[in-house]
Amino acid sequence: MARKVFLSFHYDNDNWRVQTIKNIGAIEGQKLLTSNQWEEVKAGGESAIEKWIDDNMSGKSCNVVLIGSQTAGRKWVEYEFKKAWADGKGVLGIHIHQLLDSNQKGSSKGPNPFSGFTINDGKTRFDSVAPTYDPAGTTSTDVYRSIANDIETWIEHAISV
């Protein structure tokens, strides 16, 4: 049975790549919104966005941050992984820049979104406890295969931390 996870990502750049990962079938993530649906949520302001995230994260055991070229530093991605950690959920990141987008292009590797954050009153770097994975391979097909083969193990590891 697929593990229920909450997927965090930069919508504009990576929604195609994220759908590719969901199609693997190893995870059950939240319903991906269309751009129009996301605009409707955003129109409700920050409280509406937080409510949408909170509602969709409920019942999930892990937050999987799918790291593209511009994922790090995004306000709502940060809100999502901080909330997941505070709620006792597993948190991990997977670099997805080598997967092809709808234009059949990869992108540059983005920085670790967990860098610069601390837990335990500033005593522990968050990137030391939330693992990130750079899937093996040099082609989109290889990277897809690596994610398909390893995502369940990565998630179980993050939940056990």
Side-chain angles (χ1 to χ4, degrees), residues 5-98:
V5 302
F6 184 90
L7 301 171
S8 297
F9 57 98
H10 179 207
Y11 185 89
D12 291 340
N13 287 1
D14 298 317
N15 64 344
W16 186 274
R17 293 178 180 95
V18 171
Q19 189 60 54
T20 299
I21 291 168
K22 281 190 74 172
N23 288 342
I24 290 171
I27 58 173
E28 183 182 320
Q30 75 274 15
K31 178 181 177 257
L32 298 183
L33 301 178
T34 66
S35 57
N36 287 342
Q37 291 169 324
W38 179 237
E39 290 301 320
E40 287 177 24
V41 172
K42 286 186 349 185
E46 291 194 0
S47 62
I49 296 170
E50 286 181 13
K51 181 179 180 347
W52 183 90
I53 293 167
D54 295 353
D55 289 350
N56 281 276
M57 196 176 281
S58 178
K60 307 299 192 292
S61 56
C62 190
N63 173 220
V64 178
V65 180
L66 299 169
I67 308 167
S69 63
Q70 296 178 27
T71 306
R74 302 209 53 89
K75 177 181 180 175
W76 295 112
V77 170
E78 290 175 7
Y79 174 83
E80 292 160 356
F81 70 71
K82 288 176 183 178
K83 175 178 179 29
W85 187 263
D87 291 350
K89 300 175 189 308
V91 177
L92 72 120
I94 303 172
H95 288 278
I96 60 169
H97 62 286
Q98 289 184 296

